[in-house]
Amino acid sequence: MVRGRDSCWEHCVLVDATRQKVRCNYCRREFSGGVYRMKFHLAQIKNKDIVPCAEVPNEVRDHIRSILNTPMKQKNPKKPKLDQAANDQQRSSSASGGLHPLRGFSGENGSPCPSIMFARHSPSSQLAVDDAQKQKQDNADKNIAAFFYHNAIPFTAAKSLYYQKMVDAILECEVGYKAPCAEKLGGNLLEKVKVDINDNHKRLKDEWKETGCTILCDCWSDGKTKSLVVLSVACAKGTLFLRSVDVSDHADDPHYLFGLLESVVLEIGMNNVVQVITDSSASYIYAGTLLTDKYPSVFWSPCASHCINKMLEDFSKHEWVNFVLDEANTITKYIYGNHWILNMMRKFSGGEEFVRPRITKNVANFLSLRALVIQEDNLKHMFSRAEWLSSIYSRHHDVQAIKSLLCLERFWRSAREAVAVSEPLLKLLRIMDGDMPAMAYMYDGVERAKMSIKAFYKDVDENFAPIWDIIDRRWSTLLQSPLHAAAAFLNPSIFYNPNFKIDSRIRNGFQEAMTKMASEDKDIIEITKEHPIYIKAQGALGTDFAIKGRTLNAPADWWMGYGYEIPSLQRAAIRILSQPCSLHWCRWNWSTFDSVHSKRRDRLEPDRFDDLVYVHFNLWLQAIVRSKDSKCKPINFDEIDVGAEWPTEAEVVCTFLDDSWLHTAPIEGRGMEPESLLT
């Protein structure tokens, strides 16, 4: 018998039949495990690691919920007899004045069947109850919506982790609960939430003692006179926002920037700080040098994501690459410039998007080109279908240029070459931009990218050499920090891999890093003694579990589990391998910081305003961590899918901070009902 098509497929698309990976048509999130897990996603039901869909329409959500709540029909030839037994038992119970559940008969999850344990409602009365409940839910939805509309709250606020938590907390209160007033929100409640954040800060500080942490110094400039810096602290368990600083008058003063970085190092604790990541401009490089000279155990590193972005930018400046990217942009602009054409494209591409607005320009351009190459046949097919040919758009003069371009073999040949060269770099950038420690994979990732490009050009030196020159020129900037080389040396999946060459740069980087991290001579002596044990995989490092764990465990976790016989080297390895490489895994809303520093001069309550900023951004960072799997996993370069959702696309954007509660409300407006305020 042919199995019927699940109605859930109307709302998702299969992207990988081998792994049963499906993509939601609304939020674009992908899941493995087939359509069954997708139902929980669309129904907004939390189940294991499934994230509820924030974009699904209410009617679709309710429909999927009804499917999940409908018991599956079981093929059981004895079911009529069972139903008859239940009816006889119910009649017997009614006659005796008691209610006796039928033993041995269970519902869908093994629990007693409700239809037997409790008296049945008539269909009409049950329908009335359902209608009344639906009216209550509709009324609640309308009141929530009215609150959003009246206060001009962005609809994306409904994606916040705290949105449903707020509703759930209200439901736990008794009838008559009164929501907090503006004075409480700006007063003691702000203090209480700040205390909770500081408690989380203390938990992170305990983590820093073991894994160390990285100070992130992210910079922004309006290109004119304003320059801002955001200071935060990152470790494997999360990121803490510290503060923002207006450095407009000191952006090119390395001594001022050194003082700023030093103050944060001392605030966090010099023994906790492994590295400081900053911009790679001359003033920050010099400030980093001043910092590491004064505090030898602290490393300075430029942002790895910025380095890889520059590689892609340099590659895009090649004449033929720039030309094919412009042609691809012409195609995507045409498709996205008309709603009807866009919907038709999505129909033929299975929901594939060609434009990625929440990713940096260089990355988005190459991902767009990659999507076009993947959908080459579908695009050509779309413009030859009767549905297209019968539309008014097929007769517009501008479509002829698009159709000619799609049929041009030179365009597709150049597009495929550009994709083949850029994809290894995109994979590396995807790893660096992730929210997990990536220090262990930077060095190996660069080498893999180079080898992949060389293999594409079949080892023809004149073809791959210009690309290698781009990579080496940018990569040499990062080699100023020995951390990347030491991390490659200490990553067991790399070090014990016979295909990876541990060259002199890696060995020298490891030795330099150990010298900096060893605070006393005795530490250097211990590491020197323990070093051969790691080299030869002796003791616990050579057991079957440790050998399997080289690729199954995250590098830092591997050292935690198997490095106990060489504790000095173990501590150093864990601290190095637990660090990020990038400033860009989260995207700050610089408009908020610009507003903060523009208004702060005239602020009557600067301390409360600073508290609001502190609470706002730390809640946002905590929500990002809580929405993801907190367990670090090993990274397989070959399995990275650059076409899948990137972290900056998945997370809810940090919204512009509204500080209007700080302004004193007009006396005549206090205590008035909304209707009277609108008159």
Side-chain angles (χ1 to χ4, degrees):
M1 181 177 179
V2 179
R3 184 178 180 180
R5 179 177 173 85
D6 196 311
S7 61
C8 187
W9 286 114
E10 297 176 10
H11 313 290
C12 60
V13 61
L14 183 67
V15 294
D16 189 337
T18 305
R19 292 186 292 174
Q20 285 292 295
K21 181 180 284 188
V22 292
R23 179 193 300 133
C24 175
N25 289 347
Y26 303 105
C27 69
R28 320 302 299 164
R29 190 180 291 272
E30 295 181 0
F31 293 98
S32 297
V35 73
Y36 178 73
R37 298 180 76 234
M38 179 58 69
K39 289 179 182 177
F40 287 91
H41 171 69
L42 293 171
Q44 296 181 333
I45 298 174
K46 291 185 178 180
N47 183 30
K48 295 183 179 179
D49 60 340
I50 298 176
V51 179
C53 181
E55 303 285 347
V56 62
N58 290 341
E59 59 270 18
V60 175
R61 177 199 63 196
D62 296 340
H63 173 64
I64 300 298
R65 283 184 179 180
S66 67
I67 294 175
L68 289 172
N69 291 331
T70 303
M72 294 179 63
K73 295 181 180 180
Q74 298 180 355
K75 297 179 180 180
N76 191 339
K78 296 184 178 181
K79 185 176 178 182
K81 294 182 180 180
L82 193 59
D83 288 346
Q84 183 63 40
N87 292 334
D88 292 344
Q89 181 72 14
Q90 190 174 20
R91 284 194 296 269
S92 174
S93 301
S94 301
S96 61
L99 184 63
H100 307 285
L102 184 64
R103 295 180 181 178
F105 182 69
S106 60
E108 186 178 4
N109 296 315
S111 57
C113 180
S115 62
I116 297 175
M117 287 193 67
F118 304 102
R120 295 173 183 255
H121 293 288
S122 66
S124 58
S125 62
Q126 184 61 46
L127 185 61
V129 171
D130 292 344
D131 287 343
Q133 182 62 26
K134 189 175 185 306
Q135 288 179 1
K136 290 180 180 179
Q137 292 179 354
D138 289 344
N139 186 52
D141 288 348
K142 286 190 293 183
N143 277 282
I144 292 173
F147 178 75
F148 272 71
Y149 305 150
H150 176 255
N151 295 282
I153 300 174
F155 298 155
T156 53
K159 297 181 180 180
S160 168
L161 172 73
Y162 305 100
Y163 181 53
Q164 187 60 44
K165 287 184 67 175
M166 172 187 69
V167 175
D168 293 342
I170 293 172
L171 289 174
E172 292 179 2
C173 298
E174 295 181 357
V175 176
Y177 166 78
K178 297 295 183 183
C181 62
E183 287 74 13
K184 288 186 69 176
L185 288 171
N188 67 330
L189 284 178
L190 181 63
E191 286 298 322
K192 288 181 179 180
V193 176
K194 183 181 177 182
V195 168
D196 290 343
I197 290 172
N198 287 335
D199 288 341
N200 183 62
H201 180 185
K202 293 175 184 176
R203 289 192 291 272
L204 288 178
K205 201 163 187 175
D206 292 337
E207 184 74 16
W208 298 342
K209 294 176 183 177
E210 181 178 1
T211 66
C213 63
T214 293
I215 293 174
L216 305 177
C217 179
D218 207 353
C219 315
W220 173 85
S221 172
D222 64 357
K224 298 176 183 177
T225 59
K226 177 159 285 188
S227 294
L228 304 176
V229 164
V230 171
L231 297 164
S232 55
V233 187
C235 70
K237 297 295 184 182
T239 302
L240 177 74
F241 167 78
L242 295 177
R243 56 187 169 273
S244 64
V245 181
D246 187 342
V247 297
S248 301
D249 298 331
H250 311 282
D252 297 322
D253 182 353
H255 294 280
Y256 174 85
L257 298 174
F258 157 71
L260 186 62
L261 296 175
E262 182 185 32
S263 67
V264 181
V265 169
L266 296 177
E267 177 184 345
I268 301 303
M270 188 183 67
N271 293 330
N272 294 328
V273 178
V274 174
Q275 72 169 339
V276 175
I277 297 180
T278 73
D279 185 83
S280 56
S281 63
S283 56
Y284 281 99
I285 292 175
Y286 188 42
T289 302
L290 294 174
L291 185 71
T292 54
D293 286 346
K294 186 171 183 178
Y295 303 99
S297 64
V298 177
F299 296 84
W300 171 84
S301 303
C303 175
S305 293
H306 178 74
C307 172
I308 303 166
N309 260 304
K310 285 297 183 181
M311 293 178 188
L312 291 168
E313 181 181 337
D314 292 346
F315 176 54
S316 68
K317 291 178 180 177
H318 281 214
E319 184 177 358
W320 69 270
V321 181
N322 185 54
F323 191 67
V324 76
L325 287 174
D326 283 344
E327 290 178 321
N329 191 39
T330 300
I331 296 172
T332 55
K333 275 187 174 180
Y334 174 77
I335 292 174
Y336 280 78
N338 182 282
H339 189 67
W340 186 88
I341 299 174
L342 178 60
N343 284 337
M344 188 174 182
M345 180 277 292
R346 287 171 174 163
K347 176 182 176 182
F348 277 82
S349 68
E352 184 77 26
E353 293 290 347
F354 296 158
V355 174
R356 309 286 284 272
R358 295 180 62 186
I359 303 180
T360 55
K361 179 183 176 181
N362 292 318
V363 178
N365 285 341
F366 283 108
L367 288 179
S368 180
L369 184 64
R370 178 180 180 272
L372 287 174
V373 169
I374 292 173
Q375 297 293 333
E376 176 184 352
D377 292 338
N378 289 332
L379 282 171
K380 292 177 179 178
H381 187 51
M382 182 184 87
F383 285 104
S384 63
R385 286 295 296 260
E387 183 180 357
W388 167 261
L389 296 174
S390 62
S391 70
I392 59 172
Y393 305 107
S394 66
R395 296 184 289 275
H396 287 185
H397 68 278
D398 54 350
V399 74
Q400 299 307 318
I402 301 299
K403 292 177 68 175
S404 298
L405 192 54
L406 291 175
C407 295
L408 190 61
E409 180 55 32
R410 190 269 312 155
F411 166 74
W412 292 112
R413 184 171 60 252
S414 297
R416 285 188 285 269
E417 181 179 354
V419 168
V421 173
S422 63
E423 185 153 347
L425 295 175
L426 289 171
K427 284 187 175 185
L428 182 57
L429 182 60
R430 177 66 181 80
I431 294 171
M432 295 302 112
D433 268 0
D435 56 336
M436 290 186 179
M439 184 66 71
Y441 302 98
M442 182 69 200
Y443 207 105
D444 180 49
V446 171
E447 293 303 314
R448 282 175 174 267
K450 291 174 67 175
M451 290 300 105
S452 177
I453 293 167
K454 182 179 180 182
F456 172 77
Y457 286 116
K458 296 181 170 53
D459 295 353
V460 177
D461 186 79
E462 64 181 26
N463 291 335
F464 73 79
I467 314 301
W468 276 33
D469 288 342
I470 290 173
I471 296 173
D472 290 339
R473 186 171 63 253
R474 294 294 182 179
W475 177 220
S476 64
T477 305
L478 279 179
L479 285 178
Q480 295 180 55
S481 173
L483 273 182
H484 302 96
F489 187 90
L490 293 168
N491 183 348
S493 67
I494 295 174
F495 183 81
Y496 294 117
N497 186 340
N499 296 323
F500 188 81
K501 182 181 178 182
I502 305 295
D503 58 23
S504 59
R505 292 180 302 171
I506 295 180
R507 295 183 185 277
N508 292 339
F510 166 74
Q511 293 179 29
E512 183 181 349
M514 293 302 102
T515 302
K516 284 175 66 66
M517 296 187 74
S519 56
E520 301 179 9
D521 288 342
K522 66 176 183 179
D523 295 326
I524 297 178
I525 293 172
E526 289 302 315
I527 290 175
T528 303
K529 291 178 180 178
E530 295 170 356
H531 177 238
I533 298 175
Y534 173 61
I535 297 290
K536 299 174 183 178
Q538 295 175 339
L541 303 182
T543 63
D544 289 342
F545 282 108
I547 292 172
K548 287 183 173 63
R550 292 171 185 173
T551 55
L552 295 177
N553 300 131
D557 291 341
W558 185 86
W559 276 96
M560 288 181 185
Y562 307 109
Y564 51 86
E565 293 179 343
I566 46 175
S568 296
L569 187 57
Q570 179 193 41
R571 182 176 186 274
I574 291 172
R575 290 172 70 82
I576 290 174
L577 297 170
S578 298
Q579 304 313 311
C581 291
S582 171
L583 293 168
H584 297 162
W585 76 267
C586 63
R587 295 287 188 266
W588 301 110
N589 189 329
W590 291 103
S591 298
T592 290
F593 294 115
D594 189 16
S595 174
V596 165
H597 292 282
S598 296
K599 296 177 180 179
R600 185 171 283 164
R601 299 186 188 91
D602 303 322
R603 185 71 57 194
L604 296 177
E605 303 176 85
D607 291 339
R608 270 210 304 164
F609 187 57
D610 287 343
D611 286 346
L612 174 63
V613 174
Y614 179 81
V615 167
H616 172 71
F617 283 107
N618 278 301
L619 287 175
W620 175 66
L621 290 169
Q622 288 180 17
I624 293 174
V625 173
R626 291 175 184 175
S627 65
K628 295 178 171 65
D629 186 355
S630 60
K631 184 179 178 181
C632 293
K633 300 175 182 177
I635 296 173
N636 188 323
F637 190 86
D638 296 328
E639 292 181 357
I640 298 296
D641 180 9
V642 298
E645 191 174 55
W646 286 51
T648 52
E649 294 179 298
E651 66 200 35
V652 177
V653 176
C654 189
T655 55
F656 181 82
L657 180 58
D658 178 14
D659 63 329
S660 58
W661 57 268
L662 284 172
H663 303 296
T664 305
I667 295 177
E668 62 271 22
R670 295 176 183 174
M672 298 175 67
E673 293 298 321
E675 290 80 6
S676 60
L677 288 173
L678 292 173
T679 58

